Amino acid sequence: MASPTASAASAVSYLSPWPGVAERPIPRGRLLFRGSRGGSSPLRLNCARRNALPPAPRAAKALAAENADALNVMIAGAPASGKGTQCELIKAKYGLVHISAGDLLRAEIATGTANGKQAKEFMEKGQLVPDEIVVNMVKERLLQEDAQEKGWLLDGYPRSYSQSMALENLGIRPDIFILLDVPDELLVERVVGRRLDPVTGKIYHLKYSPPENEEIASRLTQRFDDTEEKVKLRLQTHYQNIESLVSIYEDVIVHVKGDTTVEDVFGEIDKLLASSLTKKTEMVASS
C-alpha cells in the first residue's frame, strides 16, 4: 500500500507540466514566458526580467465578501524546500484551511465525485488532468463554509499561467503569496538523501533525519525520481512555472529564505502574515 506521501506525489504529477516541459502560454501582448536555456546557467529567476513584466488584469469581483479576520494565502516552493512543514505551522497558528490540489484530487477520485470521475479518466490514460477540472475542484473547495470563515492556505497551486488566470477570472486571489527560496545545492542534497520506510510510511533523510536502527535502515527505499539528475529537471520546471506566475501576483509575492532553521523560516512567515492581516483588516474597515 502506497504511503500518503507517495500517493500525494503521484496525484500532483498530474497537475503540472511534465518535468523539463514547463507550460508556454499563448503570448498576450508583450507577455511571453520562455523556458530556461540549457547548460550550466543558474535555474533562478531573472529578477530584472521579472520586474519588467507588465501586471496581469485583476479579477472583476471576488467569490465572496471579504472577511477581515480571514487570510487567503498561496504558498509555493521547490521540491524539498520545507513547504509542507511550514504549511502545518501556518495552519496551526492562523487556523487556515489547508488546501493541496494533489490531496484534493485524490479525495475527489476516492469519493467518486463528478470532478473526480472526469479526472480519473485522464489519469488512467496517463494524461494530465485538464486545468478546468482541477480549477473547478479548487473553486468548490474554497467556497465551502470553513474556507470562507477561516481563510485558506492554497498549497503548491496554481503551477502555471493558465491555471492562475483561471483562478483570477473566478475572483480567487490571495492576500499574500509566499515563495520559499532555497539554494539549488541544498535542495538537491535534501532530495537525494530522502528515504521512505515502506512499512510505516515515514520519511527519513540519511543526513538530517537518519533511521533509528539498522532494521529500519535495511528496508528503506528511495523514490525513483529522487536522483540528482531528475531533481534538477524538476527544479528547472519549478522555476519556469514560478516565472509564469510573477506578473499575476507580483504585488502580493513575498520571498522567504528557506535555508535557515524551521523556526527562523516560520518566524519570518509569521511576521509577513501578521502584517498582511493587519493591512486587510484596516482596508476592510475603511471600505
Side-chain angles (χ1 to χ4, degrees):
M1 183 177 186
S3 71
T5 302
S7 299
S10 176
V12 167
S13 68
Y14 289 93
L15 300 175
S16 57
W18 299 116
V21 190
E23 182 193 60
R24 298 186 181 188
I26 297 172
R28 298 171 184 257
R30 292 187 296 120
L31 191 61
L32 175 61
F33 302 103
R34 298 180 174 84
S36 301
R37 298 178 182 273
S40 58
S41 57
L43 300 178
R44 296 292 176 189
L45 297 179
N46 184 317
C47 294
R49 179 180 167 199
R50 179 190 69 192
N51 293 333
L53 294 173
R58 294 285 184 270
K61 54 185 178 179
L63 282 170
E66 288 283 356
N67 181 349
D69 296 322
L71 268 178
N72 296 328
V73 181
M74 288 181 180
I75 185 169
S81 63
K83 178 168 62 66
T85 299
Q86 294 303 322
C87 282
E88 290 301 315
L89 294 171
I90 293 169
K91 182 173 67 173
K93 174 78 180 279
Y94 289 89
L96 305 182
V97 176
H98 182 202
I99 301 168
S100 163
D103 291 342
L104 195 57
L105 179 60
R106 289 191 302 115
E108 298 243 0
I109 291 173
T111 54
T113 65
N115 287 325
K117 289 177 181 177
Q118 291 183 65
K120 186 176 181 181
E121 290 179 7
F122 286 94
M123 292 172 69
E124 287 178 340
K125 297 174 185 176
Q127 300 174 354
L128 296 176
V129 178
D131 285 344
E132 56 266 28
I133 295 177
V134 183
V135 168
N136 197 44
M137 289 182 185
V138 171
K139 179 195 73 172
E140 291 178 359
R141 182 65 188 90
L142 292 176
L143 281 172
Q144 290 181 22
E145 187 176 356
D146 60 344
Q148 291 291 299
E149 289 184 355
K150 299 177 181 178
W152 43 261
L153 173 61
L154 192 51
D155 176 1
Y157 193 87
R159 290 169 172 253
S160 67
Y161 182 86
S162 62
Q163 291 168 1
S164 57
M165 284 307 301
L167 294 180
E168 284 283 295
N169 291 334
L170 290 169
I172 300 173
R173 185 170 181 80
D175 299 308
I176 184 170
F177 189 124
I178 299 168
L179 184 56
L180 293 174
D181 290 331
V182 180
D184 294 338
E185 302 76 25
L186 181 55
L187 290 170
V188 171
E189 181 184 57
R190 287 178 178 179
V191 171
V192 172
R194 284 194 306 209
R195 296 293 185 273
L196 169 70
D197 183 344
V199 175
T200 64
K202 182 176 179 180
I203 301 293
Y204 291 91
H205 191 280
L206 298 181
K207 178 178 179 180
Y208 301 112
S209 180
E212 294 86 351
N213 54 58
E214 286 299 322
E215 179 184 355
I216 295 175
S218 66
R219 67 182 186 230
L220 296 183
T221 60
Q222 184 179 30
R223 250 177 62 169
F224 76 94
D225 55 349
D226 277 356
T227 62
E228 183 171 349
E229 179 182 4
K230 290 186 176 180
V231 75
K232 285 182 177 178
L233 287 175
R234 288 157 64 194
L235 287 175
Q236 181 173 330
T237 299
H238 166 74
Y239 293 129
Q240 290 171 354
N241 292 342
I242 289 298
E243 185 172 1
S244 74
L245 304 179
V246 167
S247 69
I248 298 172
Y249 299 116
E250 62 183 351
D251 61 328
V252 292
I253 282 184
V254 293
H255 292 258
V256 175
K257 285 175 56 90
D259 57 350
T260 58
T261 66
V262 170
E263 294 77 15
D264 286 346
V265 174
F266 181 67
E268 182 62 26
I269 290 175
D270 190 20
K271 290 178 186 176
L272 292 166
L273 293 180
S275 175
S276 182
L277 183 57
T278 298
K279 290 177 183 177
K280 181 174 185 179
T281 302
E282 292 173 349
M283 186 179 299
V284 172
S286 63
S287 62

